[in-house]
Amino acid sequence: MLSRTLLRSRIAAPRVNSLGLRFYSFSQEEQPRIRIGSTAPNFEVNTTQGKIDFHEYIGDKWAVLFSHPADFTPVCTTELGAFSKLKPEFDARGVKLIGLSTEGVDSHNQWIKDIEEVATEGEKFGFPIIADSTKEVAYKYDMVTEDDFKNLKSGMVATVRSVFVIDPAKKIRLTMTYPASTGRNTSEVLRVVDALQLADKRGIATPVDWTEGQDVIIPPTVSNEDAKAKFGDFKTVKPYLRYTKLN
Ligand code: BEZ
């Protein structure tokens, strides 16, 4: 029985068949298991901005990696246009955006022209889209439905709407998965980036529907004495539910 580490190192590199073509094993057993705190699987892939090594692309920034079912589809067009318009907001938070579908670079580039025509209000499209035609990334990040997992080997698959927020240490910090029929909420993606970065910086947690500037929660692991020293005033609703304002 191969150890999980050895299995992972085997899928990290593509295998090459007798015709010299790269292929990947898409076995369920060898698939990485992505959890909050896992290292984001690395990959080298073609994108609309050239070939990238994903970890090098992230560098010392945060990243949001998100997949789309297919090029030239209506919901995806609205999503990519909206994310592109919000690029300055992501830049301000030190976050690099990168999209994905399993079609090629030429198709993506043609589609970007449409996105710029109808969904970016005349702005240039702002970030790379991965051409995951080998489906390596879709497999490593499990961006497929139960049925399409079985089809990975056989042809084009439509990825679901996955979102991965990855920190500069390349750790997975948050995941979301939406079906093809439901477009994502760009404000929610920005909101969770704000919440994650604030939690890292200030050692707080954020309550339901929190947005920037609202009261935050003092984690139960912080004693009242430490909370006073760290945050000054705070409001105790229950011994385990304490709110404070950040300045
Ligand atoms: C869309 O992006 O519009 C879409 C893609 C696949 C299925 C349904 C909608």
Side-chain angles (χ1 to χ4, degrees), residues 38-77:
S38 307
T39 298
N42 198 21
F43 51 83
E44 276 187 19
V45 77
N46 285 325
T47 79
T48 50
Q49 295 184 8
K51 191 164 182 170
I52 63 155
D53 171 294
F54 186 50
H55 284 189
E56 281 176 17
Y57 173 77
I58 298 173
D60 60 0
K61 304 284 190 199
W62 289 66
V64 174
L65 165 67
F66 53 104
S67 56
H68 299 273
D71 297 357
F72 301 102
T73 48
V75 177
C76 301
T77 301

Short mmCIF file of all heavy atoms in Angstrom, two decimals, residues 38-77:
data_model
loop_
_atom_site.label_atom_id
_atom_site.label_comp_id
_atom_site.label_asym_id
_atom_site.label_seq_id
_atom_site.Cartn_x
_atom_site.Cartn_y
_atom_site.Cartn_z
N SER A 38 -4.80 23.20 4.56
CA SER A 38 -3.95 22.42 3.64
C SER A 38 -3.09 23.37 2.82
O SER A 38 -3.52 24.50 2.53
CB SER A 38 -4.77 21.65 2.60
OG SER A 38 -5.76 20.86 3.15
N THR A 39 -1.94 22.88 2.37
CA THR A 39 -1.18 23.65 1.38
C THR A 39 -1.90 23.55 0.04
O THR A 39 -2.29 22.46 -0.38
CB THR A 39 0.26 23.10 1.27
OG1 THR A 39 0.89 23.25 2.54
CG2 THR A 39 1.07 23.84 0.21
N ALA A 40 -2.09 24.70 -0.61
CA ALA A 40 -2.77 24.71 -1.92
C ALA A 40 -1.92 23.90 -2.91
O ALA A 40 -0.73 24.20 -3.07
CB ALA A 40 -2.92 26.14 -2.42
N PRO A 41 -2.49 22.88 -3.56
CA PRO A 41 -1.69 22.12 -4.53
C PRO A 41 -1.08 23.04 -5.58
O PRO A 41 -1.76 23.95 -6.07
CB PRO A 41 -2.71 21.16 -5.15
CG PRO A 41 -3.80 21.04 -4.13
CD PRO A 41 -3.87 22.37 -3.44
N ASN A 42 0.17 22.81 -5.90
CA ASN A 42 0.81 23.64 -6.92
C ASN A 42 0.60 23.03 -8.31
O ASN A 42 0.28 21.85 -8.43
CB ASN A 42 2.31 23.79 -6.63
CG ASN A 42 2.91 24.97 -7.37
OD1 ASN A 42 2.19 25.90 -7.77
ND2 ASN A 42 4.20 24.96 -7.57
N PHE A 43 0.75 23.84 -9.33
CA PHE A 43 0.64 23.35 -10.71
C PHE A 43 1.30 24.36 -11.63
O PHE A 43 1.45 25.53 -11.28
CB PHE A 43 -0.84 23.16 -11.11
CG PHE A 43 -1.71 24.36 -10.83
CD1 PHE A 43 -1.77 25.43 -11.71
CD2 PHE A 43 -2.46 24.43 -9.65
CE1 PHE A 43 -2.56 26.54 -11.44
CE2 PHE A 43 -3.24 25.55 -9.37
CZ PHE A 43 -3.30 26.60 -10.28
N GLU A 44 1.72 23.85 -12.79
CA GLU A 44 2.20 24.73 -13.87
C GLU A 44 1.21 24.65 -14.99
O GLU A 44 0.82 23.54 -15.39
CB GLU A 44 3.55 24.24 -14.38
CG GLU A 44 4.70 24.72 -13.55
CD GLU A 44 6.03 24.35 -14.18
OE1 GLU A 44 6.08 24.05 -15.39
OE2 GLU A 44 7.01 24.34 -13.44
N VAL A 45 0.78 25.77 -15.52
CA VAL A 45 -0.31 25.74 -16.48
C VAL A 45 -0.26 26.95 -17.40
O VAL A 45 0.31 27.99 -17.04
CB VAL A 45 -1.65 25.67 -15.69
CG1 VAL A 45 -2.03 27.02 -15.11
CG2 VAL A 45 -2.79 25.11 -16.50
N ASN A 46 -0.85 26.80 -18.58
CA ASN A 46 -0.98 27.95 -19.49
C ASN A 46 -2.16 28.82 -19.06
O ASN A 46 -3.20 28.29 -18.64
CB ASN A 46 -1.22 27.49 -20.92
CG ASN A 46 0.05 26.95 -21.53
OD1 ASN A 46 1.14 27.44 -21.25
ND2 ASN A 46 -0.08 25.91 -22.35
N THR A 47 -1.97 30.11 -19.20
CA THR A 47 -3.05 31.05 -18.89
C THR A 47 -3.09 32.10 -20.00
O THR A 47 -2.21 32.16 -20.86
CB THR A 47 -2.83 31.79 -17.55
OG1 THR A 47 -1.88 32.84 -17.76
CG2 THR A 47 -2.34 30.89 -16.45
N THR A 48 -4.07 32.97 -19.91
CA THR A 48 -4.17 34.07 -20.88
C THR A 48 -3.04 35.09 -20.69
O THR A 48 -2.89 36.01 -21.48
CB THR A 48 -5.52 34.78 -20.74
OG1 THR A 48 -5.72 35.08 -19.35
CG2 THR A 48 -6.65 33.91 -21.24
N GLN A 49 -2.27 34.95 -19.61
CA GLN A 49 -1.11 35.84 -19.42
C GLN A 49 0.18 35.03 -19.42
O GLN A 49 1.14 35.36 -18.72
CB GLN A 49 -1.29 36.67 -18.15
CG GLN A 49 -2.46 37.64 -18.26
CD GLN A 49 -2.63 38.55 -17.05
OE1 GLN A 49 -1.79 38.61 -16.16
NE2 GLN A 49 -3.74 39.27 -17.03
N GLY A 50 0.19 33.90 -20.15
CA GLY A 50 1.41 33.09 -20.26
C GLY A 50 1.42 31.94 -19.26
O GLY A 50 0.48 31.77 -18.48
N LYS A 51 2.50 31.17 -19.32
CA LYS A 51 2.61 29.99 -18.45
C LYS A 51 2.94 30.44 -17.03
O LYS A 51 3.76 31.34 -16.84
CB LYS A 51 3.73 29.09 -18.99
CG LYS A 51 3.76 27.74 -18.36
CD LYS A 51 4.60 26.78 -19.16
CE LYS A 51 4.53 25.43 -18.46
NZ LYS A 51 5.11 24.37 -19.25
N ILE A 52 2.30 29.82 -16.06
CA ILE A 52 2.61 30.18 -14.67
C ILE A 52 2.86 28.94 -13.82
O ILE A 52 2.35 27.86 -14.11
CB ILE A 52 1.48 31.00 -13.99
CG1 ILE A 52 0.18 30.18 -13.91
CG2 ILE A 52 1.25 32.34 -14.66
CD1 ILE A 52 -0.74 30.62 -12.81
N ASP A 53 3.69 29.13 -12.80
CA ASP A 53 3.78 28.21 -11.67
C ASP A 53 2.89 28.87 -10.61
O ASP A 53 3.13 30.02 -10.23
CB ASP A 53 5.24 28.11 -11.23
CG ASP A 53 5.41 27.35 -9.93
OD1 ASP A 53 4.94 27.83 -8.85
OD2 ASP A 53 6.04 26.28 -9.97
N PHE A 54 1.87 28.16 -10.15
CA PHE A 54 0.85 28.81 -9.31
C PHE A 54 1.45 29.42 -8.04
O PHE A 54 1.14 30.56 -7.70
CB PHE A 54 -0.25 27.80 -8.97
CG PHE A 54 -1.42 28.40 -8.24
CD1 PHE A 54 -2.04 29.55 -8.70
CD2 PHE A 54 -1.90 27.80 -7.09
CE1 PHE A 54 -3.12 30.10 -8.02
CE2 PHE A 54 -2.98 28.34 -6.40
CZ PHE A 54 -3.58 29.50 -6.87
N HIS A 55 2.31 28.69 -7.36
CA HIS A 55 2.88 29.24 -6.12
C HIS A 55 3.74 30.48 -6.41
O HIS A 55 3.72 31.45 -5.65
CB HIS A 55 3.69 28.18 -5.38
CG HIS A 55 2.81 27.19 -4.65
ND1 HIS A 55 3.30 26.25 -3.78
CD2 HIS A 55 1.46 27.00 -4.67
CE1 HIS A 55 2.29 25.53 -3.30
NE2 HIS A 55 1.18 25.95 -3.84
N GLU A 56 4.46 30.43 -7.55
CA GLU A 56 5.25 31.63 -7.91
C GLU A 56 4.32 32.79 -8.25
O GLU A 56 4.61 33.95 -7.94
CB GLU A 56 6.16 31.34 -9.10
CG GLU A 56 7.41 30.58 -8.69
CD GLU A 56 8.26 30.20 -9.90
OE1 GLU A 56 8.08 30.78 -11.00
OE2 GLU A 56 9.10 29.30 -9.74
N TYR A 57 3.20 32.48 -8.89
CA TYR A 57 2.24 33.53 -9.24
C TYR A 57 1.71 34.22 -7.98
O TYR A 57 1.59 35.44 -7.92
CB TYR A 57 1.08 32.93 -10.05
CG TYR A 57 -0.05 33.89 -10.31
CD1 TYR A 57 0.05 34.88 -11.28
CD2 TYR A 57 -1.24 33.83 -9.56
CE1 TYR A 57 -0.97 35.78 -11.51
CE2 TYR A 57 -2.28 34.73 -9.78
CZ TYR A 57 -2.13 35.71 -10.75
OH TYR A 57 -3.15 36.60 -10.96
N ILE A 58 1.42 33.41 -6.94
CA ILE A 58 0.91 33.99 -5.69
C ILE A 58 1.99 34.86 -5.05
O ILE A 58 1.72 35.95 -4.56
CB ILE A 58 0.46 32.89 -4.71
CG1 ILE A 58 -0.69 32.06 -5.30
CG2 ILE A 58 0.03 33.50 -3.37
CD1 ILE A 58 -1.08 30.85 -4.47
N GLY A 59 3.23 34.35 -5.05
CA GLY A 59 4.35 35.09 -4.44
C GLY A 59 4.04 35.40 -2.99
O GLY A 59 3.64 34.51 -2.23
N ASP A 60 4.19 36.67 -2.59
CA ASP A 60 3.92 37.01 -1.19
C ASP A 60 2.54 37.66 -1.02
O ASP A 60 2.29 38.37 -0.05
CB ASP A 60 5.02 37.92 -0.63
CG ASP A 60 5.13 39.23 -1.41
OD1 ASP A 60 4.35 39.43 -2.38
OD2 ASP A 60 6.00 40.05 -1.06
N LYS A 61 1.65 37.43 -1.99
CA LYS A 61 0.29 37.98 -1.91
C LYS A 61 -0.71 36.92 -1.46
O LYS A 61 -0.35 35.76 -1.28
CB LYS A 61 -0.15 38.46 -3.31
CG LYS A 61 0.78 39.46 -3.94
CD LYS A 61 0.61 40.81 -3.33
CE LYS A 61 1.35 41.87 -4.12
NZ LYS A 61 1.59 43.07 -3.39
N TRP A 62 -1.96 37.31 -1.32
CA TRP A 62 -3.07 36.38 -1.20
C TRP A 62 -3.55 36.06 -2.62
O TRP A 62 -3.21 36.78 -3.56
CB TRP A 62 -4.22 37.02 -0.42
CG TRP A 62 -3.96 37.20 1.05
CD1 TRP A 62 -3.03 38.03 1.60
CD2 TRP A 62 -4.63 36.56 2.13
NE1 TRP A 62 -3.09 37.94 2.97
CE2 TRP A 62 -4.07 37.05 3.32
CE3 TRP A 62 -5.67 35.63 2.22
CZ2 TRP A 62 -4.50 36.64 4.58
CZ3 TRP A 62 -6.10 35.22 3.46
CH2 TRP A 62 -5.52 35.71 4.63
N ALA A 63 -4.33 35.00 -2.77
CA ALA A 63 -4.90 34.70 -4.08
C ALA A 63 -6.33 34.21 -3.93
O ALA A 63 -6.68 33.60 -2.92
CB ALA A 63 -4.07 33.62 -4.79
N VAL A 64 -7.13 34.54 -4.95
CA VAL A 64 -8.46 33.93 -5.08
C VAL A 64 -8.45 33.18 -6.42
O VAL A 64 -8.30 33.79 -7.48
CB VAL A 64 -9.59 34.97 -5.05
CG1 VAL A 64 -10.93 34.30 -5.33
CG2 VAL A 64 -9.65 35.68 -3.69
N LEU A 65 -8.55 31.86 -6.31
CA LEU A 65 -8.62 30.99 -7.49
C LEU A 65 -10.07 30.58 -7.66
O LEU A 65 -10.67 30.07 -6.71
CB LEU A 65 -7.74 29.75 -7.24
CG LEU A 65 -7.92 28.55 -8.17
CD1 LEU A 65 -7.46 28.88 -9.59
CD2 LEU A 65 -7.11 27.34 -7.63
N PHE A 66 -10.63 30.82 -8.84
CA PHE A 66 -12.04 30.44 -9.01
C PHE A 66 -12.28 29.86 -10.39
O PHE A 66 -11.72 30.30 -11.39
CB PHE A 66 -12.99 31.60 -8.71
CG PHE A 66 -12.72 32.87 -9.44
CD1 PHE A 66 -13.50 33.24 -10.51
CD2 PHE A 66 -11.71 33.71 -9.06
CE1 PHE A 66 -13.27 34.42 -11.20
CE2 PHE A 66 -11.45 34.89 -9.73
CZ PHE A 66 -12.22 35.24 -10.80
N SER A 67 -13.12 28.84 -10.42
CA SER A 67 -13.36 28.10 -11.66
C SER A 67 -14.72 28.46 -12.25
O SER A 67 -15.62 28.92 -11.54
CB SER A 67 -13.29 26.60 -11.41
OG SER A 67 -14.21 26.24 -10.39
N HIS A 68 -14.85 28.22 -13.55
CA HIS A 68 -16.08 28.48 -14.31
C HIS A 68 -16.45 27.27 -15.12
O HIS A 68 -15.56 26.57 -15.60
CB HIS A 68 -15.85 29.65 -15.28
CG HIS A 68 -15.48 30.89 -14.57
ND1 HIS A 68 -16.42 31.76 -14.10
CD2 HIS A 68 -14.29 31.36 -14.21
CE1 HIS A 68 -15.81 32.74 -13.48
NE2 HIS A 68 -14.52 32.52 -13.53
N PRO A 69 -17.73 27.04 -15.33
CA PRO A 69 -18.11 25.88 -16.15
C PRO A 69 -17.54 25.90 -17.56
O PRO A 69 -17.00 24.91 -18.02
CB PRO A 69 -19.64 25.95 -16.16
CG PRO A 69 -20.00 26.65 -14.89
CD PRO A 69 -18.90 27.65 -14.67
N ALA A 70 -17.64 27.02 -18.25
CA ALA A 70 -17.19 27.02 -19.65
C ALA A 70 -17.12 28.44 -20.19
O ALA A 70 -17.77 29.34 -19.66
CB ALA A 70 -18.16 26.21 -20.51
N ASP A 71 -16.34 28.61 -21.26
CA ASP A 71 -16.25 29.91 -21.94
C ASP A 71 -17.56 30.19 -22.70
O ASP A 71 -18.28 29.25 -23.06
CB ASP A 71 -15.10 29.90 -22.95
CG ASP A 71 -13.74 29.72 -22.28
OD1 ASP A 71 -13.68 29.66 -21.04
OD2 ASP A 71 -12.75 29.62 -23.01
N PHE A 72 -17.80 31.42 -22.96
CA PHE A 72 -18.98 31.85 -23.74
C PHE A 72 -20.29 31.38 -23.12
O PHE A 72 -21.21 30.95 -23.82
CB PHE A 72 -18.87 31.36 -25.20
CG PHE A 72 -17.64 31.88 -25.91
CD1 PHE A 72 -16.54 31.06 -26.08
CD2 PHE A 72 -17.59 33.19 -26.37
CE1 PHE A 72 -15.39 31.53 -26.72
CE2 PHE A 72 -16.44 33.67 -27.01
CZ PHE A 72 -15.35 32.83 -27.17
N THR A 73 -20.36 31.41 -21.80
CA THR A 73 -21.62 31.07 -21.12
C THR A 73 -22.08 32.32 -20.36
O THR A 73 -21.25 33.12 -19.91
CB THR A 73 -21.42 29.89 -20.14
OG1 THR A 73 -20.28 30.15 -19.35
CG2 THR A 73 -21.31 28.58 -20.87
N PRO A 74 -23.39 32.48 -20.22
CA PRO A 74 -23.89 33.78 -19.74
C PRO A 74 -23.53 34.11 -18.29
O PRO A 74 -23.06 35.23 -18.00
CB PRO A 74 -25.41 33.66 -19.92
CG PRO A 74 -25.70 32.21 -20.06
CD PRO A 74 -24.47 31.57 -20.63
N VAL A 75 -23.76 33.17 -17.38
CA VAL A 75 -23.49 33.48 -15.96
C VAL A 75 -22.01 33.77 -15.75
O VAL A 75 -21.62 34.74 -15.08
CB VAL A 75 -23.96 32.31 -15.05
CG1 VAL A 75 -23.63 32.60 -13.59
CG2 VAL A 75 -25.47 32.07 -15.21
N CYS A 76 -21.16 32.94 -16.35
CA CYS A 76 -19.70 33.13 -16.22
C CYS A 76 -19.27 34.48 -16.76
O CYS A 76 -18.38 35.13 -16.20
CB CYS A 76 -18.95 32.05 -17.00
SG CYS A 76 -19.32 30.39 -16.49
N THR A 77 -19.89 34.91 -17.84
CA THR A 77 -19.54 36.21 -18.42
C THR A 77 -19.82 37.33 -17.42
O THR A 77 -18.98 38.22 -17.21
CB THR A 77 -20.34 36.43 -19.73
OG1 THR A 77 -20.01 35.37 -20.63
CG2 THR A 77 -20.03 37.77 -20.37
#
